[in-house]
Amino acid sequence: MKRTLALLLCLALLCACAPTLAEGSERYKAVTARFNGQLEKGAVVNVLENNTAIELGYVQQLIDAFNEAYRDQGVSAQIMDIDQYSDLATDGPYGYGPDVWYQANDILMKYATKKHLLPLPVYSLESRDLIPQNAWDAYRMQMYGEDFYCGVPINVQSGMLFYIESMLPDNWQAEWDLNQNGTPDFFETFTALYALSQDIQQNGGKTEYGYLDDLVDVYFSVGYALTYGAYVFGDGNTNPDDIGLAKGDAAKGLYMLRQWAALMNNTEVLDKTFAAAAYAYLAQGKMLCTITTPDVKQMFIRAMVNTGSWTQEEAEADLKMINVPRLPASADLTADAWQDTILDMEGKTVRTKMMGGVNGYGISAYTECPNASLAFVEFATSYEQVMLRNQVLGITPARSDAAAAIGQTDATVQMIFDNLNEGYIDVMPAINETAQIWTPGESFLIDLCTDAFRLSRGEAELYETIEKIQQGLERMVQQIFDAIHTLA
């Protein structure tokens, strides 16, 4: 009960900070006038959804429930092929794009800023006051000097650490719980996780690796820079002329990626296809833990069941998801004894900051059924559907009432909301220029992590010092800057 009350208070404070924006203004009424509440009879709402949600059956359940609820009102919805018509700018004007699109905020807002998505009448939505303002802000866009929103948040995304409890080392309680708090030390600090991973690779264990991950995914790995003072864009992620990915001690933070690459000694971590294999790797014991987003929880469970070693219920009980470990204050995974980072956590470590996102629904500017589309979005973001989406997919809701209900039995939901509220989730910028950070960022991370293998290949190292990593970061920032201004 205390946890629930704390979560509700936290969310109430977030929502209470919402500024007075365009609500009630003549401009707001004009911009959102097409949403007049009159459902377009015979309309079929084309919905482009998340591939995982489709694969696990949630989207079909959502579509079926909506169609049943609106059967008497003459509107329905259908799933679009996720591999087609996902470029709204190209397909939308010709009538081939979706009416409603579920996506991460940075992708949706890339289209919103080019007027391919509609500003929505959010003040009339049932969920308006139930979603924290900083989640709404992920879809905020200024028009005519006023703030409008081009998406309805449904879930919060950020990296979490996944592991299978039965694969923990047998001796962890005796040798890896120095502070006696019931949490394995190697899940509390990255220094301890590095030490465990080294021990497993040298001496063997229940799994082949300790921590194994795709190190070149910017979304997850940029946290090593954000923790030490970097940022994406200046002025609260709104100024693309100020790219902060090389600021602070970002280079020191990213040096740890090179350390991980050298320890893992596995070229799979240099390939983004690792993410698709991670479910089976965890289930089959190739690794003890990895980091990804909560919404793929059921993919791990499915992989566990497919091995034949778990039933559905056993897999759900055995799979665990917790906060990512704390990073060393020194920004060096080998500078301190792992035991010291546990016994002096405040002095030797810092809380990890991760990039995050807010997934939600947007409505195409080219839709011929805006009111039916809005009805679908309201239905999909209702309490009942958000609760079902959590049940099937394991998402963390953006709705405070759903989050509070789930938080009574799932501490992960509160962890994510605490991280968001306390500034340890850096929500992806809601500006079009965000699209230009991914390719240069990934190219740099591949180059950086590959450096761990160059000597063994008879090649010269490029990033063996912090200074050289800083120079590489500055080149990456310049590439991002050039891409933004070339494509602007």
Side-chain angles (χ1 to χ4, degrees), residues 316-346:
E316 289 177 353
D318 207 6
L319 180 69
K320 304 298 180 182
M321 177 172 54
I322 59 174
N323 262 332
V324 297
R326 295 169 67 96
L327 283 163
S330 64
D332 185 337
L333 293 167
T334 60
D336 302 302
W338 72 263
Q339 295 90 340
D340 292 339
T341 67
I342 299 299
L343 299 176
D344 183 17
M345 205 170 292
E346 292 301 318

Side-chain angles (χ1 to χ4, degrees), residues 214-340:
D214 161 15
L215 299 179
V216 300
D217 189 315
V218 178
Y219 180 85
F220 295 108
S221 292
V222 75
Y224 285 89
L226 298 175
T227 302
Y228 298 94
Y231 53 89
V232 183
F233 298 125
D235 301 330
N237 276 335
T238 64
N239 181 4
D241 290 334
D242 178 11
I243 303 168
L245 293 171
K247 297 292 178 68
D249 288 325
K252 289 183 178 180
L254 291 182
Y255 175 72
M256 287 183 285
L257 287 176
R258 191 180 186 280
Q259 289 182 299
W260 275 120
L263 175 63
M264 292 174 183
N265 193 29
N266 186 326
T267 55
E268 286 185 73
V269 303
L270 308 181
D271 192 335
K272 286 187 69 175
T273 60
F274 175 93
Y279 313 120
Y281 285 173
L282 197 75
Q284 295 167 6
K286 182 164 185 173
M287 59 190 181
L288 174 64
C289 60
T290 194
I291 293 173
T292 187
T293 52
D295 62 332
V296 298
K297 179 180 178 180
Q298 290 298 325
M299 299 297 284
F300 285 109
I301 290 173
R302 173 183 284 188
M304 293 166 69
V305 172
N306 286 344
T307 67
S309 299
W310 290 268
T311 65
Q312 178 77 18
E313 294 75 16
E314 289 169 343
E316 289 177 353
D318 207 6
L319 180 69
K320 304 298 180 182
M321 177 172 54
I322 59 174
N323 262 332
V324 297
R326 295 169 67 96
L327 283 163
S330 64
D332 185 337
L333 293 167
T334 60
D336 302 302
W338 72 263
Q339 295 90 340
D340 292 339

Side-chain angles (χ1 to χ4, degrees), residues 1-211:
M1 179 60 70
K2 288 181 179 179
R3 177 189 299 164
T4 302
L5 290 174
L7 179 59
L8 284 171
L9 178 59
C10 162
L11 295 174
L13 288 171
L14 284 169
C15 294
C17 295
T20 300
L21 300 174
E23 181 179 9
S25 74
E26 292 304 313
R27 181 71 69 179
Y28 172 80
K29 293 176 183 177
V31 169
T32 61
R34 72 191 71 193
F35 296 104
N36 57 23
Q38 300 299 312
L39 297 179
E40 299 83 6
K41 297 298 182 182
V44 178
V45 180
N46 289 302
V47 180
L48 192 62
E49 254 277 7
N50 175 275
N51 190 50
T52 300
I54 294 174
E55 186 175 344
L56 293 177
Y58 169 72
V59 180
Q60 191 60 58
Q61 293 183 60
L62 168 62
I63 295 289
D64 290 345
F66 175 80
N67 290 345
E68 180 62 30
Y70 280 82
R71 184 184 306 278
D72 295 338
Q73 300 186 55
V75 298
S76 62
Q78 63 182 11
I79 306 173
M80 291 193 72
D81 185 341
I82 198 168
D83 294 323
Q84 296 179 343
Y85 313 130
S86 59
D87 185 349
L88 196 57
T90 301
D91 301 318
Y94 296 97
Y96 296 117
D99 298 297
V100 172
W101 193 3
Y102 170 91
Q103 252 297 356
N105 66 291
D106 65 312
I107 295 177
L108 286 181
M109 292 307 293
K110 176 177 70 173
Y111 291 96
T113 54
K114 298 295 185 181
K115 300 183 179 180
H116 300 299
L117 289 181
L118 292 175
L120 302 177
V122 298
Y123 299 102
S124 65
L125 301 183
E126 175 265 347
S127 61
R128 173 65 183 103
D129 293 330
L130 293 167
I131 296 173
Q133 182 60 37
N134 50 359
W136 282 113
D137 285 346
Y139 293 97
R140 186 171 64 183
M141 181 174 67
Q142 276 234 330
M143 295 172 57
Y144 314 110
E146 298 184 31
D147 287 324
F148 291 86
Y149 298 93
C150 296
V152 179
I154 190 166
N155 59 282
V156 181
Q157 295 276 55
S158 187
M160 300 292 286
L161 187 138
F162 284 81
Y163 70 97
I164 296 174
E165 190 171 42
S166 61
M167 290 188 180
L168 290 173
D170 292 331
N171 66 345
W172 79 263
Q173 290 173 307
E175 298 186 23
W176 293 91
D177 190 16
L178 297 182
N179 54 13
Q180 294 294 294
N181 66 352
T183 299
D185 293 332
F186 43 78
F187 292 153
E188 295 199 80
T189 75
F190 268 113
T191 300
L193 184 56
Y194 185 91
L196 175 79
S197 299
Q198 190 173 47
D199 182 68
I200 288 174
Q201 287 173 232
Q202 291 176 352
N203 303 312
K206 291 183 180 179
T207 59
E208 183 180 347
Y209 291 87
Y211 173 53

